[in-house]
Amino acid sequence: MSMGFEQAQLAVKAGIEKARQMNVPISVAVVDAGRNLLAFARMDDALLGSVELSQGKAFTSATVSVKTSELGRNAQPGGPFYSIENSQQRPMILFAGGAPIICDGRTLGAVGVSGGSLDEDETIAQYICDVLSAANMKS
């Protein structure tokens, strides 16, 4: 299984559906394992800053294969990933809303969600991963 256009479109669709259920306008980005943008959508009324943040969250999560919220907890002074946000040319985002897409122990890509509260962004990102996981099990 690899992360391709069809899976990326499914991820965006799932994210938008969940965001509508929660009444949260978001931007959602999906990247492949190489951190290349595969799909992106910005809902009406989503914050303009959510465009770059969603893409940055997806990039960050694909880079380290962990949720951005987990990375943020471990990037505090004294933590094992302290100062990681300075390790790449692109900004690393250290707060909730990014999640790796993992299948059979391999990171296929990542999703980034921005526009709601951090908890809302993380809930939607996790929902997307759950939908993709269920779809992979059926194929």
Side-chain angles (χ1 to χ4, degrees), residues 113-132:
V113 176
S114 184
S117 69
L118 296 179
D119 287 340
E120 290 167 333
D121 290 353
E122 183 144 349
T123 296
I124 296 167
Q126 185 59 54
Y127 177 79
I128 292 167
C129 290
D130 292 345
V131 167
L132 290 175

mmCIF file of all heavy atoms in Angstrom, residues 113-132:
data_model
loop_
_atom_site.group_PDB
_atom_site.id
_atom_site.type_symbol
_atom_site.label_atom_id
_atom_site.label_comp_id
_atom_site.label_asym_id
_atom_site.label_seq_id
_atom_site.Cartn_x
_atom_site.Cartn_y
_atom_site.Cartn_z
ATOM 1 N N VAL A 113 -4.292 19.234 9.927
ATOM 2 C CA VAL A 113 -5.579 19.920 10.048
ATOM 3 C C VAL A 113 -5.379 21.182 10.857
ATOM 4 O O VAL A 113 -4.726 21.160 11.909
ATOM 5 C CB VAL A 113 -6.619 19.009 10.742
ATOM 6 C CG1 VAL A 113 -7.924 19.754 10.967
ATOM 7 C CG2 VAL A 113 -6.841 17.730 9.947
ATOM 8 N N SER A 114 -5.959 22.283 10.391
ATOM 9 C CA SER A 114 -5.879 23.538 11.115
ATOM 10 C C SER A 114 -7.146 24.342 10.870
ATOM 11 O O SER A 114 -7.729 24.286 9.795
ATOM 12 C CB SER A 114 -4.658 24.342 10.656
ATOM 13 O OG SER A 114 -4.520 25.514 11.423
ATOM 14 N N GLY A 115 -7.553 25.092 11.889
ATOM 15 C CA GLY A 115 -8.715 25.959 11.759
ATOM 16 C C GLY A 115 -9.581 25.966 12.994
ATOM 17 O O GLY A 115 -10.298 26.917 13.258
ATOM 18 N N GLY A 116 -9.530 24.888 13.762
ATOM 19 C CA GLY A 116 -10.290 24.817 15.006
ATOM 20 C C GLY A 116 -9.369 25.001 16.190
ATOM 21 O O GLY A 116 -8.236 25.464 16.048
ATOM 22 N N SER A 117 -9.867 24.620 17.355
ATOM 23 C CA SER A 117 -8.991 24.593 18.525
ATOM 24 C C SER A 117 -7.994 23.453 18.312
ATOM 25 O O SER A 117 -8.172 22.605 17.434
ATOM 26 C CB SER A 117 -9.810 24.337 19.794
ATOM 27 O OG SER A 117 -10.306 23.001 19.795
ATOM 28 N N LEU A 118 -6.957 23.401 19.124
ATOM 29 C CA LEU A 118 -5.986 22.323 18.988
ATOM 30 C C LEU A 118 -6.640 20.965 19.191
ATOM 31 O O LEU A 118 -6.338 20.008 18.469
ATOM 32 C CB LEU A 118 -4.817 22.531 19.950
ATOM 33 C CG LEU A 118 -3.977 23.783 19.686
ATOM 34 C CD1 LEU A 118 -2.866 23.906 20.718
ATOM 35 C CD2 LEU A 118 -3.409 23.781 18.272
ATOM 36 N N ASP A 119 -7.551 20.863 20.152
ATOM 37 C CA ASP A 119 -8.259 19.597 20.378
ATOM 38 C C ASP A 119 -9.118 19.225 19.171
ATOM 39 O O ASP A 119 -9.186 18.052 18.784
ATOM 40 C CB ASP A 119 -9.126 19.668 21.636
ATOM 41 C CG ASP A 119 -8.321 19.646 22.920
ATOM 42 O OD1 ASP A 119 -7.148 19.211 22.903
ATOM 43 O OD2 ASP A 119 -8.874 20.070 23.964
ATOM 44 N N GLU A 120 -9.788 20.209 18.589
ATOM 45 C CA GLU A 120 -10.617 19.935 17.407
ATOM 46 C C GLU A 120 -9.753 19.491 16.230
ATOM 47 O O GLU A 120 -10.092 18.523 15.530
ATOM 48 C CB GLU A 120 -11.435 21.176 17.038
ATOM 49 C CG GLU A 120 -12.530 21.492 18.036
ATOM 50 C CD GLU A 120 -13.137 22.858 17.849
ATOM 51 O OE1 GLU A 120 -12.467 23.785 17.331
ATOM 52 O OE2 GLU A 120 -14.312 23.027 18.251
ATOM 53 N N ASP A 121 -8.651 20.183 16.021
ATOM 54 C CA ASP A 121 -7.747 19.812 14.928
ATOM 55 C C ASP A 121 -7.251 18.380 15.110
ATOM 56 O O ASP A 121 -7.233 17.590 14.170
ATOM 57 C CB ASP A 121 -6.553 20.761 14.861
ATOM 58 C CG ASP A 121 -6.905 22.158 14.383
ATOM 59 O OD1 ASP A 121 -8.056 22.396 13.965
ATOM 60 O OD2 ASP A 121 -6.008 23.027 14.441
ATOM 61 N N GLU A 122 -6.864 18.032 16.334
ATOM 62 C CA GLU A 122 -6.354 16.683 16.596
ATOM 63 C C GLU A 122 -7.450 15.627 16.431
ATOM 64 O O GLU A 122 -7.207 14.557 15.876
ATOM 65 C CB GLU A 122 -5.732 16.585 17.984
ATOM 66 C CG GLU A 122 -5.134 15.217 18.239
ATOM 67 C CD GLU A 122 -3.877 15.231 19.065
ATOM 68 O OE1 GLU A 122 -3.311 16.303 19.308
ATOM 69 O OE2 GLU A 122 -3.458 14.144 19.460
ATOM 70 N N THR A 123 -8.651 15.936 16.873
ATOM 71 C CA THR A 123 -9.776 15.003 16.717
ATOM 72 C C THR A 123 -10.032 14.717 15.244
ATOM 73 O O THR A 123 -10.221 13.560 14.841
ATOM 74 C CB THR A 123 -11.047 15.575 17.380
ATOM 75 O OG1 THR A 123 -10.812 15.676 18.789
ATOM 76 C CG2 THR A 123 -12.266 14.715 17.113
ATOM 77 N N ILE A 124 -10.026 15.747 14.422
ATOM 78 C CA ILE A 124 -10.281 15.578 12.986
ATOM 79 C C ILE A 124 -9.134 14.816 12.331
ATOM 80 O O ILE A 124 -9.364 13.904 11.524
ATOM 81 C CB ILE A 124 -10.534 16.939 12.306
ATOM 82 C CG1 ILE A 124 -11.813 17.566 12.871
ATOM 83 C CG2 ILE A 124 -10.620 16.782 10.786
ATOM 84 C CD1 ILE A 124 -12.004 19.036 12.526
ATOM 85 N N ALA A 125 -7.898 15.143 12.677
ATOM 86 C CA ALA A 125 -6.745 14.424 12.109
ATOM 87 C C ALA A 125 -6.804 12.942 12.465
ATOM 88 O O ALA A 125 -6.562 12.077 11.607
ATOM 89 C CB ALA A 125 -5.446 15.051 12.600
ATOM 90 N N GLN A 126 -7.142 12.631 13.704
ATOM 91 C CA GLN A 126 -7.237 11.230 14.116
ATOM 92 C C GLN A 126 -8.372 10.522 13.386
ATOM 93 O O GLN A 126 -8.241 9.365 12.979
ATOM 94 C CB GLN A 126 -7.423 11.106 15.629
ATOM 95 C CG GLN A 126 -7.412 9.668 16.124
ATOM 96 C CD GLN A 126 -6.121 8.945 15.786
ATOM 97 O OE1 GLN A 126 -5.040 9.416 16.107
ATOM 98 N NE2 GLN A 126 -6.227 7.794 15.117
ATOM 99 N N TYR A 127 -9.480 11.219 13.203
ATOM 100 C CA TYR A 127 -10.607 10.651 12.459
ATOM 101 C C TYR A 127 -10.174 10.283 11.038
ATOM 102 O O TYR A 127 -10.506 9.207 10.537
ATOM 103 C CB TYR A 127 -11.775 11.641 12.436
ATOM 104 C CG TYR A 127 -12.943 11.154 11.627
ATOM 105 C CD1 TYR A 127 -13.833 10.224 12.163
ATOM 106 C CD2 TYR A 127 -13.153 11.595 10.328
ATOM 107 C CE1 TYR A 127 -14.912 9.751 11.417
ATOM 108 C CE2 TYR A 127 -14.224 11.132 9.577
ATOM 109 C CZ TYR A 127 -15.089 10.211 10.123
ATOM 110 O OH TYR A 127 -16.151 9.739 9.385
ATOM 111 N N ILE A 128 -9.446 11.166 10.402
ATOM 112 C CA ILE A 128 -8.956 10.903 9.042
ATOM 113 C C ILE A 128 -8.094 9.639 9.038
ATOM 114 O O ILE A 128 -8.264 8.771 8.175
ATOM 115 C CB ILE A 128 -8.164 12.109 8.499
ATOM 116 C CG1 ILE A 128 -9.102 13.301 8.277
ATOM 117 C CG2 ILE A 128 -7.438 11.741 7.208
ATOM 118 C CD1 ILE A 128 -8.378 14.614 8.036
ATOM 119 N N CYS A 129 -7.182 9.528 9.983
ATOM 120 C CA CYS A 129 -6.321 8.339 10.058
ATOM 121 C C CYS A 129 -7.147 7.074 10.273
ATOM 122 O O CYS A 129 -6.857 6.034 9.678
ATOM 123 C CB CYS A 129 -5.278 8.504 11.159
ATOM 124 S SG CYS A 129 -4.024 9.739 10.763
ATOM 125 N N ASP A 130 -8.170 7.168 11.105
ATOM 126 C CA ASP A 130 -9.046 6.015 11.355
ATOM 127 C C ASP A 130 -9.789 5.602 10.080
ATOM 128 O O ASP A 130 -9.919 4.414 9.782
ATOM 129 C CB ASP A 130 -10.037 6.323 12.470
ATOM 130 C CG ASP A 130 -9.381 6.480 13.833
ATOM 131 O OD1 ASP A 130 -8.204 6.081 13.997
ATOM 132 O OD2 ASP A 130 -10.047 7.032 14.740
ATOM 133 N N VAL A 131 -10.285 6.584 9.330
ATOM 134 C CA VAL A 131 -10.987 6.297 8.077
ATOM 135 C C VAL A 131 -10.039 5.625 7.083
ATOM 136 O O VAL A 131 -10.393 4.623 6.444
ATOM 137 C CB VAL A 131 -11.596 7.587 7.472
ATOM 138 C CG1 VAL A 131 -12.048 7.374 6.025
ATOM 139 C CG2 VAL A 131 -12.762 8.062 8.328
ATOM 140 N N LEU A 132 -8.827 6.143 6.953
ATOM 141 C CA LEU A 132 -7.857 5.548 6.027
ATOM 142 C C LEU A 132 -7.470 4.149 6.459
ATOM 143 O O LEU A 132 -7.335 3.241 5.630
ATOM 144 C CB LEU A 132 -6.616 6.435 5.917
ATOM 145 C CG LEU A 132 -6.818 7.757 5.203
ATOM 146 C CD1 LEU A 132 -5.544 8.593 5.266
ATOM 147 C CD2 LEU A 132 -7.240 7.545 3.762
#
